[in-house]
Amino acid sequence: MSIILDANAPEAATNTTPDLIKDGSVETFVQDVIEPSMDVPVVVDFWAPWCGPCKSLTPTIEKVTREAGGRVKLVKINIDENQELAAQLRIQSVPTVYAFKDGRPVDAFQGAQPESEVRAFYEKLAGGPIESPIEAILEQAATALAEDDHAAAHSLYVSVLEREQQNEVAIGGMIRCMVGMGEIEETRHFVDNMSDLDRLKPAIAAAISALELAETGYSPEDLEAARAKVAANPSDLQAQYDLGMACFATNKREDAVKAMITIIRTDREWNEDAGRTQLLKFFEAWGPSDPASVAGRRALSTVLFS
């Protein structure tokens, strides 16, 4: 039985060492920030409950702090509850982030920043690269998925989701793995319980396309029958369509593209543009960088614009 994470569940709890990430105040500023900064850089995140950008920046800072592995600490300070401290440090807007080292501020930035910029800020403080274990696991999972080792890839994606429950790449990968393992009904139930916003995220939307194609009912057993029909009558576009879908089901990507291109070249409007519609779903399911998608898009452009 596969592990399905509830799409509506709250964020998984984070295992954080109390000394690594903590909430600070004006009363504890010296012991939380100044004194520890004599040994290791301390980042201070000034935020407020009403601040929208803070809600996106703070989780990113927390994530990079954990990945720094103790080389940088984080103290979060609510300016509404610590107005005197905010005034002393001349905090004019939030989020504002200070970095302290040897008891004094050495760097700072204001406003929400992408993770790449936050990571660069931390790496400068830490004096070296801060690798994301999540990215390494995702790379391993993608390799396993490409090799059709769905069980291994699924396990890796689940391990990511145990740390970052809303990681869309891992959610999309898990959907693909379950489709590959034939767990169609269970996967459909999971997808149907996701929010509309989540279903529109690129990595998840592409995986849902793979699910929808799997739900068409074509299987490896249909392949030889479809080949025989096409061989008997190459102009039979329904047979070409069945061949393309059966090739998709058996992961014969180049043949799947070829069959749909044949339909488009012969009659672009056949069955309400079914050839092009399914071909685009193939590309979405495989991903834009897949060689079959790249070659297929090139072939499609040639047919449509020739």
Side-chain angles (χ1 to χ4, degrees), residues 19-132:
D19 289 339
L20 192 61
I21 300 176
K22 62 171 58 177
D23 293 312
S25 67
V26 63
E27 292 83 8
T28 64
F29 192 78
V30 172
Q31 66 188 60
D32 288 343
V33 177
I34 302 301
E35 293 176 356
S37 75
M38 298 298 180
D39 299 318
V40 63
V42 178
V43 169
V44 184
D45 174 22
F46 291 94
W47 67 283
W50 44 262
C51 168
C54 297
K55 295 178 182 179
S56 63
L57 178 64
T58 297
T60 300
I61 293 178
E62 291 177 346
K63 174 186 175 184
V64 178
T65 299
R66 291 191 294 270
E67 292 172 356
R71 289 185 288 164
V72 181
K73 294 184 177 182
L74 171 64
V75 176
K76 300 179 293 181
I77 295 179
N78 181 344
I79 64 167
D80 286 354
E81 297 175 353
N82 298 276
Q83 296 181 15
E84 179 184 350
L85 180 59
Q88 289 176 0
L89 292 174
R90 299 180 181 178
I91 305 299
Q92 298 180 342
S93 64
V94 286
T96 291
V97 175
Y98 273 96
F100 282 77
K101 191 172 183 179
D102 297 326
R104 61 186 180 85
V106 294
D107 206 350
F109 68 82
Q110 290 183 327
Q113 302 289 327
E115 183 176 326
S116 59
E117 294 297 325
V118 173
R119 190 175 299 278
F121 183 81
Y122 267 67
E123 288 178 341
K124 182 178 178 182
L125 293 171
I130 297 174
E131 302 293 341
S132 169

Side-chain angles (χ1 to χ4, degrees), residues 43-304:
V43 169
V44 184
D45 174 22
F46 291 94
W47 67 283
W50 44 262
C51 168
C54 297
K55 295 178 182 179
S56 63
L57 178 64
T58 297
T60 300
I61 293 178
E62 291 177 346
K63 174 186 175 184
V64 178
T65 299
R66 291 191 294 270
E67 292 172 356
R71 289 185 288 164
V72 181
K73 294 184 177 182
L74 171 64
V75 176
K76 300 179 293 181
I77 295 179
N78 181 344
I79 64 167
D80 286 354
E81 297 175 353
N82 298 276
Q83 296 181 15
E84 179 184 350
L85 180 59
Q88 289 176 0
L89 292 174
R90 299 180 181 178
I91 305 299
Q92 298 180 342
S93 64
V94 286
T96 291
V97 175
Y98 273 96
F100 282 77
K101 191 172 183 179
D102 297 326
R104 61 186 180 85
V106 294
D107 206 350
F109 68 82
Q110 290 183 327
Q113 302 289 327
E115 183 176 326
S116 59
E117 294 297 325
V118 173
R119 190 175 299 278
F121 183 81
Y122 267 67
E123 288 178 341
K124 182 178 178 182
L125 293 171
I130 297 174
E131 302 293 341
S132 169
I134 297 298
E135 294 304 318
I137 296 172
L138 287 174
E139 288 182 10
Q140 294 175 36
T143 299
L145 184 58
E147 296 172 351
D148 293 329
D149 190 348
H150 299 110
H154 183 275
S155 178
L156 290 166
Y157 285 127
V158 168
S159 72
V160 171
L161 292 171
E162 287 172 347
R163 304 185 190 194
E164 296 182 9
Q165 193 165 2
Q166 300 303 317
N167 188 298
E168 66 176 275
V169 174
I171 293 172
M174 189 178 69
I175 292 171
R176 291 177 183 276
C177 290
M178 294 180 63
V179 169
M181 292 186 288
E183 299 178 1
I184 307 303
E185 291 184 8
E186 193 172 10
T187 309
R188 170 51 63 187
H189 176 73
F190 172 63
V191 168
D192 286 347
N193 281 281
M194 296 176 68
S195 69
D196 291 339
L197 183 61
D198 282 341
R199 282 196 292 266
L200 291 174
K201 293 177 180 177
I204 297 174
I208 292 174
S209 289
L211 170 62
E212 291 172 346
L213 287 166
E215 289 175 324
T216 60
Y218 288 86
S219 66
E221 289 73 23
D222 298 317
L223 182 58
E224 292 308 315
R227 287 194 190 280
K229 288 182 180 180
V230 169
N233 184 6
S235 62
D236 183 347
L237 297 187
Q238 181 61 54
Q240 288 283 359
Y241 181 85
D242 291 341
L243 176 60
M245 297 299 290
C247 285
F248 176 86
T250 55
N251 204 31
K252 299 182 183 301
R253 300 185 178 187
E254 293 181 3
D255 290 342
V257 169
K258 182 179 178 180
M260 295 304 173
I261 290 292
T262 298
I263 293 173
I264 299 167
R265 183 182 293 113
T266 303
D267 182 357
R268 295 183 187 181
E269 304 302 322
W270 177 80
N271 198 14
E272 299 181 349
D273 203 17
R276 187 179 68 86
T277 299
Q278 291 303 321
L279 187 57
L280 293 177
K281 284 190 175 183
F282 290 171
F283 298 157
E284 189 172 23
W286 296 331
S289 61
D290 186 274
S293 296
V294 174
R297 288 191 181 278
R298 189 180 302 116
L300 179 60
S301 296
T302 300
V303 171
L304 294 178

